[in-house]
Every structure is written in C-alpha cells, then in structure tokens.
Amino acid sequence: MDFKKDFASILYEVLDGKLDQDKLTLMIEKPRFEEMGDLAFPCFELAKLLRKSPHSIAADIAAEIKSPLFEKVEAVSGYVNVFLNKHKVSFLVLKEVLTLKEHYGDLDLGKNQVITVDFSSPNIAKPFSMGHLRSTVIGNALALIAEKYGYPSVRINHLGDWGTQFGKLIVAYKKWGKEETVKQQPIKELLKLYVKFHDEAEKDPSLNDEGRGWFKKLEENDDEAMKLWEWFREESLKEFSRIYKLMGIEFDSFQPSTMTRWIKWSTYLKT
C-alpha cells in the first residue's frame, strides 16, 4: 500500500487539479514527531497560486478532507497533518499481505543488478561470538531487504584467520591433539589446545619459537602446514554451519581469508 499516493489523490480532488498528482506526492512529508501525524502536506507553495496565506489554505484543505483512510486531519502552521486510521490501514495491509503472500513488498528498484553482502566472518578455531551473531543477523536482514528491492544478493562469508596463532595451534595439535577428539567437538577442542599451548609456553618459552616456525611454513605454503590449517577451517565450518542452520541463514560462498588467497596466488606466481 502507498498511503502517500492515496493522500496525494485526495489532495488532487480537493484542489480541483490545480497541481499535478505526481507533484503533490513529492510534496508530502513524513512529520518529525509522531504527535504531528503520519503524513503532512506543506501549503507554502500554494500561497502564490491561490493568493492566500499557507495557514488559510491548510485550514480550507483540512476542512474539506473526508476520507475513511484518516482518523484525524489537522491544519497546523501552514501544514495539513493527517493521522491514518489504524483499523482501516491494518485491514488493507493484511489483505494485501494475504493476497501477495511471499511477494508482498517486492519492488524492482534494483532492476536485477547483483550485489554482494560480506558478513559474519568468524575466526577459525574460536567460538562464535556475540559480535559474529550481530553481523550475521544484520547482514542477512540487509540481503533480504535488497532482494525485496530487486537486487539479487550473493551472501559471502569470509571464513578465515591468519597469524602466528595458527603456528602455535599447529604445534599444540601435533604435540597434544587427537584427530577424533577434534572431529567430535572442533571449536572446543581446538580452543583447548590453543590455551594449553600458552600455559605450556610459560614454562617452556621455546614453544613460541616452534609456533613462529610453523607459521613461517604456512606463509611459504608448506604442504603439511596448509593441510592442517585447511582442516582446522573445515572442522570449524561444520560447527558454524550448525549455528547458521539454527538461524535459518545460508551463504552462497565461504571464502578463505584475503591473506590466505594472497599467499596461494603469490606462491603460484613464483612457480
């Protein structure tokens, strides 16, 4: 429903067609405050045309408007403020929703131009945080709105993380980890291994050198290091997917981190 156009149509009749209906639609405003009504029509532009004050014009228009669409019409400081009839509006909106069903609210503003929405991006081997939940919900809402407006959306989740912490995680897994245990509870177990590494590194600082060494191997695209990193990523994705499924959110693409793609591409260029 477009109640602004309905209001413009009523104004067009009241003004005996003195202004084009499309122009009237453009002139109608949304009041800044709720107590000023749902829609407002400024009469200042009509003053010269009708040779009357905006206040007088607003009063005349308000007196002539008789529509079941409005529960109240007021002339205030050169504006015609209208209050929509909540019962009538609710009935009309629900009727349209039931008629159009899943197509209710569809628009063609985007003209089928594709957009990408990059959101969520949780970190590998770490719990899904409130921050990730927030960006997931907001990103999905934006994608749904864009699709309603005629923009097909490609939802992208950059699942990836990079840094010395992965060298440390690899060391921890190789020393204390078990494949089956990680597969059973990937996030919990990988985080547990990472915490254990730091606890042990306080007793044996040489572990930090081992962690830096394995991260260097990651940067050099070492086969074993990359396979472990990708496995950590895949196991993390299984857990994150469970959460996404609970929220009914799906992605079109799970991209690795920008740094990882750059490492792989730079390695390719060297060969």
Side-chain angles (χ1 to χ4, degrees):
M1 302 297 297
D2 192 337
F3 299 114
K4 183 183 281 190
K5 284 188 176 181
D6 293 334
F7 186 22
S9 178
I10 293 168
L11 288 169
Y12 182 78
E13 296 295 329
V14 170
L15 293 168
D16 295 323
K18 290 184 174 64
L19 279 182
D20 181 76
Q21 192 166 322
D22 289 336
K23 182 174 177 59
L24 289 170
T25 302
L26 291 173
M27 290 172 67
I28 294 170
E29 303 173 1
K30 173 72 177 175
R32 290 180 61 188
F33 304 106
E34 186 178 340
E35 59 268 21
M36 297 173 69
D38 297 297
L39 297 169
F41 176 70
C43 299
F44 306 98
E45 197 170 324
L46 290 170
K48 188 174 182 180
L49 178 66
L50 301 179
R51 299 182 181 277
K52 295 169 68 175
S53 72
H55 293 68
S56 177
I57 295 170
D60 291 344
I61 292 174
E64 287 195 48
I65 291 178
K66 310 292 182 187
S67 171
L69 188 61
F70 307 129
E71 62 183 23
K72 185 167 67 172
V73 181
E74 292 181 340
V76 181
S77 303
Y79 285 82
V80 178
N81 296 340
V82 296
F83 297 77
L84 294 172
N85 183 319
K86 304 297 187 295
H87 179 76
K88 178 71 173 177
V89 166
S90 299
F91 174 78
L92 292 173
V93 170
L94 288 174
K95 183 179 179 181
E96 187 172 353
V97 171
L98 290 171
T99 302
L100 298 176
K101 296 181 180 177
E102 69 271 14
H103 294 295
Y104 175 74
D106 286 359
L107 294 172
D108 191 33
L109 296 178
K111 300 189 183 303
N112 218 34
Q113 298 178 84
V114 177
I115 66 169
T116 60
V117 184
D118 178 7
F119 59 100
S120 200
S121 304
N123 297 322
I124 294 172
K126 292 182 181 177
F128 196 89
S129 72
M130 184 59 70
H132 298 130
L133 176 64
R134 180 175 180 271
S135 72
T136 298
V137 173
I138 292 174
N140 192 59
L142 290 174
L144 290 172
I145 292 170
E147 287 166 359
K148 275 290 180 184
Y149 272 64
Y151 294 92
S153 300
V154 178
R155 295 167 169 82
I156 300 174
N157 191 347
H158 283 273
L159 181 62
D161 200 358
W162 200 252
T164 309
Q165 67 267 31
F166 284 100
K168 295 176 179 179
L169 184 58
I170 289 173
V171 171
Y173 174 73
K174 288 177 71 67
K175 286 184 178 293
W176 309 295
K178 293 181 180 179
E179 183 177 346
E180 286 306 313
T181 308
V182 171
K183 285 183 175 180
Q184 288 172 11
Q185 293 183 305
I187 302 297
K188 184 178 179 180
E189 185 62 23
L190 290 173
L191 181 62
K192 181 180 174 181
L193 288 170
Y194 186 68
V195 171
K196 182 174 177 64
F197 176 92
H198 282 277
D199 290 340
E200 295 298 324
E202 289 184 6
K203 306 171 193 173
D204 181 7
S206 67
L207 286 172
N208 290 316
D209 293 329
E210 287 189 53
R212 283 189 285 270
W214 274 100
F215 178 58
K216 187 173 186 297
K217 289 183 179 183
L218 271 177
E219 290 183 305
E220 294 170 347
N221 208 27
D222 174 82
D223 188 58
E224 183 182 5
M226 289 303 298
K227 281 182 178 178
L228 282 171
W229 183 89
E230 288 171 354
W231 181 56
F232 295 157
R233 178 180 180 274
E234 289 168 7
E235 292 301 324
S236 298
L237 178 56
K238 290 177 185 177
E239 175 61 19
F240 297 145
S241 296
R242 183 184 67 81
I243 299 172
Y244 294 136
K245 187 176 181 180
L246 286 173
M247 295 189 287
I249 294 175
E250 297 180 352
F251 294 92
D252 299 296
S253 174
F254 281 97
Q255 296 287 346
S257 69
T258 304
M259 179 59 74
T260 309
R261 294 200 306 275
W262 183 85
I263 291 292
K264 290 184 176 180
W265 178 243
S266 62
T267 303
Y268 170 77
L269 290 175
K270 291 175 184 177
T271 58

